[in-house]
Amino acid sequence: MNHKDKIMTRSPSLLRPFWLLFLLFSVAFSVNIQAAPASEYWAVWDGGDEGSSKTVSHQNWQDILDEYLVVHSAGNTFRYQAVSQADREKLKDYLSRLSTVEPLSYSKAEQKAFWINLYNALTVDLILQNYPLESIADIGPWYRFGPWDEKVITVAGLPLTLNDIEHRILRPLWEDNRIHYAVNCASMGCPDLSPQVFTAANTEQLLDKLADRFVSQEKGITWIDGRLVLSRIYEWYEVDFVDKDGVLLHLQKYARPDTAKKIKSHTGIVKYRYDWRLNEPQ
């Protein structure tokens, strides 16, 4: 009998509470990673100066994208391993400058671009801080799935998490389901990181372009054994498209004509999938 067997034989009553707690936690953890945070209105960020012509420069972030983002029809990837120390400092400087911005002194269109760029740059910075790794989900304590609830930046005096930016600012304030095509979680299954930074002038057009792109990719929509298979994003955030029928109508809007026709005639169960592998060249 080995040491482990002796422990199990001599003290089952002591171990039983531990295993019960472990089982309950495992179930809760499994459910949690399948659910997405709800959109939660945060009033302090609601406002702006529509008379303002001020802009926030995102040139440093554009320089990083130009150098390290690999654009591919199946899905964009990012060359994290290749990022130089000088460019890491450039990214840090960019994020430091954005932390000094007072968003409410800008127009709503400028704010929308600001928050999307900030989210994406913060995500890349988190990966670089923890690289090498297989998935963004590996970042953070063992009992938490990923880094989304970690305080990663302070803006206008308020500490923020990635979840704050996406679910307490972008989603509730703009109520635009195309946001899901813009914020990137550094995963192969995620809508592509845009090669172009967002600005007040290009955001609406760019969001449509990114929606078109994702819906045309297999990671967005595919068929397996005759069954419609969608990105799990459409399951996690179904409420942002009203309901499942709303998701299908949304997809028809952005899909190519032949794909839209096939979706419209689809009946039966919809399957979902997502690839959490890091979005770097394989």
Side-chain angles (χ1 to χ4, degrees):
M1 181 181 293
N2 62 35
H3 182 63
K4 181 179 178 182
D5 292 334
K6 290 178 181 177
I7 293 175
M8 293 296 290
T9 301
R10 293 178 182 176
S11 55
S13 61
L14 293 176
L15 290 172
R16 190 174 296 116
F18 169 80
W19 287 110
L20 180 58
L21 287 172
F22 178 79
L23 178 61
L24 290 173
F25 177 82
S26 298
V27 171
F29 180 77
S30 176
V31 170
N32 182 59
I33 67 173
Q34 296 300 318
S39 177
E40 180 186 349
Y41 175 70
W42 195 356
V44 70
W45 299 106
D46 192 359
D49 182 357
E50 293 308 309
S52 173
S53 59
K54 294 192 303 180
T55 61
V56 178
S57 173
H58 301 287
Q59 186 58 53
N60 281 5
W61 177 225
Q62 184 65 67
D63 292 343
I64 299 291
L65 293 171
D66 289 344
E67 184 68 26
Y68 301 105
L69 188 68
V70 181
V71 177
H72 191 277
S73 59
N76 297 346
T77 54
F78 195 93
R79 299 185 301 118
Y80 300 101
Q81 187 176 17
V83 180
S84 68
Q85 186 59 43
D87 282 335
R88 289 191 181 207
E89 292 303 319
K90 177 183 284 190
L91 180 58
K92 289 288 188 186
D93 289 345
Y94 169 71
L95 291 172
S96 178
R97 182 166 50 80
L98 261 57
S99 72
T100 68
V101 169
E102 294 285 346
L104 298 186
S105 68
Y106 292 81
S107 70
K108 294 288 285 186
E110 191 68 27
Q111 289 180 52
K112 189 176 186 180
F114 167 85
W115 290 116
I116 294 172
N117 290 325
L118 178 60
Y119 185 101
N120 290 338
L122 283 168
T123 300
V124 168
D125 185 57
L126 274 172
I127 298 298
L128 292 173
Q129 288 180 46
N130 293 275
Y131 194 85
L133 70 168
E134 295 181 357
S135 170
I136 189 173
D138 298 335
I139 299 175
W142 65 270
Y143 54 84
R144 181 184 293 161
F145 186 77
W148 293 281
D149 284 318
E150 295 181 12
K151 301 295 184 183
V152 288
I153 196 167
T154 297
V155 177
L158 291 176
L160 299 174
T161 68
L162 289 173
N163 272 343
D164 286 334
I165 295 172
E166 181 177 6
H167 306 298
R168 303 183 70 195
I169 299 174
L170 282 166
R171 287 177 66 202
L173 294 186
W174 279 274
E175 297 184 323
D176 184 346
N177 52 38
R178 297 173 302 165
I179 290 294
H180 298 299
Y181 303 116
V183 292
N184 183 269
C185 66
S187 301
M188 297 297 283
C190 191
D192 288 341
L193 179 59
S194 172
Q196 186 176 1
V197 298
F198 291 81
T199 67
N202 74 8
T203 293
E204 299 310 307
Q205 182 181 6
L206 197 49
L207 288 174
D208 277 335
K209 183 178 180 179
L210 292 169
D212 286 336
R213 180 173 175 81
F214 189 62
V215 172
S216 72
Q217 294 170 319
E218 285 192 6
K219 62 181 177 178
I221 301 176
T222 193
W223 275 264
I224 299 178
D225 297 328
R227 289 185 175 179
L228 177 60
V229 180
L230 303 179
S231 165
R232 200 168 289 279
I233 284 174
Y234 297 116
E235 180 183 37
W236 291 330
Y237 300 109
E238 186 179 280
V239 66
D240 289 0
F241 302 88
V242 181
D243 54 22
K244 188 174 294 184
D245 289 338
V247 168
L248 298 180
L249 287 172
H250 171 87
L251 295 176
Q252 290 173 56
K253 175 182 177 181
Y254 288 101
R256 295 166 181 161
D258 57 335
T259 303
K261 183 177 180 181
K262 196 172 181 180
I263 294 172
K264 186 175 182 179
S265 62
H266 174 78
T267 58
I269 297 174
V270 175
K271 297 289 187 178
Y272 301 93
R273 67 178 182 178
Y274 197 84
D275 187 348
W276 280 109
R277 289 177 302 155
L278 188 66
N279 62 336
E280 65 179 345
Q282 300 300 302

